[in-house]
Amino acid sequence: MTKDELVFIIDTKQSLEFSYNGKNYSLTYDKDDNCEYIVFGQTYQGEKFKSFGEFFNNAKIENSFLKEMLDVIKI
């Protein structure tokens, strides 16, 4: 996956699920009265991010940042 593909998925609010090293990860969305969130992490253990920048710079797959591992995600 490229960064542009990831931006498109988030801009169009598509969900994404993939496996890495036997663990399942998901990308979903949530909102409350104040904000919409990007939710990413192991299935049912997602962390909320307020913006694409926060998500892209802080989301992790195991002990590596997502932005460094985009090539392992197949869409």
Side-chain angles (χ1 to χ4, degrees):
M1 171 185 297
T2 66
K3 181 180 177 183
D4 289 338
E5 290 171 327
L6 182 60
V7 169
F8 178 78
I9 287 170
I10 291 174
D11 283 348
T12 57
K13 299 215 181 322
Q14 297 177 37
S15 295
L16 176 67
E17 293 183 4
F18 65 93
S19 294
Y20 180 75
N21 280 347
K23 296 177 183 174
N24 296 321
Y25 292 84
S26 65
L27 171 69
T28 58
Y29 309 89
D30 193 12
K31 65 179 178 178
D32 60 21
D33 293 337
N34 300 319
C35 188
E36 290 188 10
Y37 299 97
I38 299 165
V39 182
F40 178 78
Q42 287 187 30
T43 305
Y44 306 115
Q45 299 176 4
E47 181 178 349
K48 292 182 178 181
F49 302 95
K50 291 183 179 181
S51 67
F52 177 79
E54 180 184 6
F55 163 68
F56 193 69
N57 290 314
N58 296 304
K60 290 188 174 185
I61 298 174
E62 292 193 352
N63 293 321
S64 299
F65 286 104
L66 170 73
K67 65 183 177 183
E68 298 167 348
M69 299 187 67
L70 287 176
D71 58 331
V72 303
I73 302 171
K74 306 296 181 207
I75 56 172

